[in-house]
Structures are given as structure tokens and as C-alpha cells.
Amino acid sequence: MAAPQAAARPAVGSRHISPLAVNNLGLSTARAENWQSCLNTWGFNAGTVDGQLGTNSWEAAQRMLNAWGYNAGTVDGIVGTNTIKALQRFLNAVGYNAGAVDGIAGSQTRTAFWNYNATGC
């Protein structure tokens, strides 16, 4: 006779999972450093300027985008649809053609983000 199976349960609840992935949206390390430097200069605390756009950098970007009226939604460090839409609104507003505000980080949005971060703020 086999021992009864223990009830399956996740090792960690989803509310405890934090996004750790880096998402540079096509930026080189140098251009990502420019973005982080700007976020820090503007007072949004992206953390260490290391050219790796991880959770801290994206939370800072979301705080900035929300504070400046671009509506990134929840500050969670996840580069989701609302964050991309806000980034597209921002890039379009400052003269970089990110294209339609559709929440998709396609080639036009990535090119606009690349061009915007050619130099520091």
C-alpha cells in the first residue's frame, strides 16, 4: 500500500514573485545607462546605472511616466502593455515617433526609444 499523496501546492505564491528579468527594449548598455541616468537625474531613483533595465529601472520609469501624466498604471517594474503605451505617449510627445499608442514594443517604438537615448538628458 502506497503512502497517500501530499496535496500539491505552489512553492511560492504569485504575490511573492518579483520580476527579475532585464528588458532593455533593444537598447545597448550605453543607451540603457543614459535612460537610467535621466531617471535618476529627474528624481525617480532607477538605482545603479549599469545599463541593465531591470525591475528598479522600470519601476522608476513607471513612476516618471505616471507623474508626468502618461499613465503607466501600477508601479510594478513589469514592462507590460500599460507601460509600453505610456512610453509611446511620452516618446511621441517629446518628438520621437513611436507610432500608434498600442502597447506593443514593435520596431517603431524600439527605434524611437533607441534614438531618444542616444545621449543623456
Side-chain angles (χ1 to χ4, degrees):
M1 184 162 178
Q5 290 277 353
R9 57 186 191 117
V12 177
S14 61
R15 69 176 182 232
H16 298 290
I17 297 173
S18 62
L20 299 176
V22 170
N23 188 345
N24 279 15
L25 286 184
L27 296 184
S28 65
T29 300
R31 290 186 189 223
E33 286 174 352
N34 288 341
W35 181 240
Q36 291 170 317
S37 293
C38 288
L39 292 167
N40 286 339
T41 297
W42 297 328
F44 294 101
N45 189 20
T48 304
V49 175
D50 60 4
Q52 303 298 306
L53 302 182
T55 304
N56 290 338
S57 297
W58 284 109
E59 285 177 352
Q62 290 166 332
R63 286 192 297 275
M64 179 276 286
L65 292 164
N66 284 338
W68 291 0
Y70 296 106
N71 191 23
T74 303
V75 175
D76 56 10
I78 298 170
V79 188
T81 303
N82 288 334
T83 301
I84 297 301
K85 284 181 178 179
L87 181 62
Q88 290 168 328
R89 287 185 198 100
F90 168 73
L91 291 167
N92 287 336
V94 297
Y96 292 84
N97 184 6
V101 177
D102 59 7
I104 299 169
S107 62
Q108 193 167 355
T109 298
R110 288 174 182 256
T111 297
F113 195 46
W114 173 269
N115 290 336
Y116 179 81
N117 288 292
T119 61
C121 48

